[in-house]
Amino acid sequence: MKSEISRTVEEPLLETDDASMMADLMVLTKARLNLLMLITTFVGFCLASPGPLDWVRLLHTLVGTALVAAAAAILNQAIEVRVDRLMERTKARPLPAGRWRSEQAIALGAACGVAGLAYLAFTTNPTATLLAAATLLIYLAIYTPLKRVSPVCVTVGAVSGAIPPVIGWTAAGGPATGAGAWILFGVLFLWQIPHFLAIAWMYRDEYAQAGFHMLNVRDTDGAATAWKSLLYAVALAGVTLMPFALGWAGLVYVGIALAIDGLLLYYAVRFVTDRSRASARRLFFSSIVYLPVILGLMVFVHF
């Protein structure tokens, strides 16, 4: 991490107004992406709550998790500023565009990380705090450098992204090793693979130019990528049916879950048969529709 940052050639800091500063903060913290993380944390908290929600504890959990998520996003961009300059989709970010300096981002990211973990430690419990720390560590120390080395990074990144609902689950008092925690982890982990493989296929040329190994270099026609997406979508469908198998949900849940699983599987199969950018894009958007529906359904049947 330090060596990447030390090699960064800093550009003059550009002046920005308040609106631009806020927009840059939204980009640095990856606000839209991390909103999804907070939603999954909220779902985990809801599903582990046996009765009425403890709204104060829930708010504490979301604030602490948001700070840790912001830290991960900011520090990731500080590490990758050089390669972000090489990709069309990232070169306008605050760091590669010169509106922020790396040392500013590092200071802000570190402050968010320390504050978030301390906040969780004082307002929730040690298990939720340790899980948040694990998310941050895996994302920055393993996933981020691994992107330059191996496509295994996609799986590692999915592990990091699957922990937030378990943070919410444990913050509400649920056992970290309980079946509910594993189901939530499984849904988020398995969902991320077709979701991110679709992105990787759409932007494969840019990733290759930047030196990111998001895909197997031997998979030039995308067949392995598409089949992997389909296999994980099938596994995801199996995990989403576990609440019914365990007696936690009824036929209404099964019917809606099968319908939304069928939608994702349809586009995953389409990606196998037509490995175009348009097909990958359809799989990507279907995955975006899929997640809030299945998580919302779990919360609905719980209450």
Side-chain angles (χ1 to χ4, degrees), residues 11 34 42 50 66 70 87 89 112 133 158 168 176 198 219 231 248 250 263 268 278 295 303:
E11 298 177 0
N34 285 332
F42 170 79
M87 294 192 291
R89 61 192 291 263
C112 287
D219 185 29
L231 290 174
W248 299 348
L263 177 70
L295 293 180
F303 289 106

Side-chain angles (χ1 to χ4, degrees), residues 31 34 38 49 70 89 124 126 130 142 153 166 177 192 196 211 225-226 238-239 245 273 287:
N34 285 332
L38 293 182
S49 300
R89 61 192 291 263
T124 61
L130 287 173
I142 305 177
C153 66
V166 188
T177 56
Q192 287 177 90
F196 286 117
T225 298
V239 172
T273 58
S287 70

Side-chain angles (χ1 to χ4, degrees), residues 43-44 46-49 169 174-187 238-254 257 296-303:
V43 169
C46 289
L47 295 182
S49 300
W169 174 276
T177 56
W182 281 108
I183 289 172
L184 285 169
F185 180 88
V187 168
V239 172
T240 59
L241 297 178
M242 287 300 295
F244 175 75
L246 293 173
W248 299 348
L251 292 177
V252 172
Y253 173 86
V254 171
L297 180 62
M298 288 181 174
V299 172
F300 176 77
V301 298
H302 176 73
F303 289 106

Side-chain angles (χ1 to χ4, degrees), residues 83 86-87 147-148 200 203-215 217:
V83 291
L86 302 176
M87 294 192 291
K147 288 163 69 176
R148 308 293 301 277
Y203 295 103
R204 61 190 182 278
D205 293 336
E206 288 191 42
Y207 281 132
Q209 180 180 344
F212 284 149
H213 295 266
M214 309 301 289
L215 300 170
V217 294

Side-chain angles (χ1 to χ4, degrees), residues 136-159:
L136 187 63
L137 180 66
I138 293 170
Y139 189 80
L140 293 177
I142 305 177
Y143 167 71
T144 297
L146 198 57
K147 288 163 69 176
R148 308 293 301 277
V149 178
S150 168
V152 174
C153 66
V154 174
T155 304
V156 174
V159 171

Side-chain angles (χ1 to χ4, degrees), residues 10-302:
E10 297 292 357
E11 298 177 0
L13 187 64
L14 303 179
E15 292 186 6
T16 57
D17 56 26
D18 291 343
S20 298
M21 177 68 73
M22 183 57 65
D24 280 348
L25 284 172
M26 295 286 283
V27 174
L28 281 169
T29 58
K30 297 185 179 178
R32 287 187 296 177
L33 177 62
N34 285 332
L35 175 60
L36 176 61
M37 179 182 290
L38 293 182
I39 291 173
T40 65
T41 304
F42 170 79
V43 169
F45 192 98
C46 289
L47 295 182
S49 300
L53 290 180
D54 183 341
W55 291 101
V56 173
R57 192 175 184 85
L58 172 60
L59 179 61
H60 289 321
T61 303
L62 293 177
V63 169
T65 304
L67 286 169
V68 174
I74 296 168
L75 293 173
N76 168 262
Q77 290 177 72
I79 295 169
E80 295 184 343
V81 59
R82 285 170 57 88
V83 291
D84 277 352
R85 290 193 181 107
L86 302 176
M87 294 192 291
E88 190 68 29
R89 61 192 291 263
T90 57
K91 68 181 184 181
R93 287 175 175 175
L95 285 166
R99 296 189 301 275
W100 278 62
R101 294 195 178 98
S102 290
E103 59 265 26
Q104 292 175 306
I106 294 167
L108 178 60
C112 287
V114 172
L117 293 175
Y119 192 88
L120 287 171
F122 281 107
T123 61
T124 61
N125 57 53
T127 304
T129 306
L130 287 173
L131 287 169
T135 302
L136 187 63
L137 180 66
I138 293 170
Y139 189 80
L140 293 177
I142 305 177
Y143 167 71
T144 297
L146 198 57
K147 288 163 69 176
R148 308 293 301 277
V149 178
S150 168
V152 174
C153 66
V154 174
T155 304
V156 174
V159 171
S160 178
I163 296 176
V166 188
I167 295 173
W169 174 276
T170 55
T177 56
W182 281 108
I183 289 172
L184 285 169
F185 180 88
V187 168
L188 264 295
F189 173 78
L190 295 169
W191 170 83
Q192 287 177 90
I193 303 301
H195 176 78
F196 286 117
L197 286 180
I199 296 173
W201 187 249
M202 286 191 290
Y203 295 103
R204 61 190 182 278
D205 293 336
E206 288 191 42
Y207 281 132
Q209 180 180 344
F212 284 149
H213 295 266
M214 309 301 289
L215 300 170
N216 191 318
V217 294
R218 293 189 295 272
D219 185 29
T220 55
D221 64 354
T225 298
W227 274 106
K228 185 176 181 179
S229 298
L230 177 58
L231 290 174
Y232 274 84
V234 170
L236 175 59
V239 172
T240 59
L241 297 178
M242 287 300 295
F244 175 75
L246 293 173
W248 299 348
L251 292 177
V252 172
Y253 173 86
V254 171
I256 300 175
L258 286 174
I260 193 66
D261 282 325
L263 177 70
L264 187 67
L265 286 168
Y266 170 77
Y267 285 109
V269 170
R270 287 285 302 273
F271 187 35
V272 170
T273 58
D274 173 24
R275 296 181 294 277
S276 65
R277 180 185 175 89
S279 183
R281 188 177 181 83
R282 286 191 289 267
L283 176 58
F284 168 72
F285 280 113
S286 68
S287 70
I288 290 178
V289 173
Y290 178 93
L291 192 63
V293 172
I294 197 68
L295 293 180
L297 180 62
M298 288 181 174
V299 172
F300 176 77
V301 298
H302 176 73

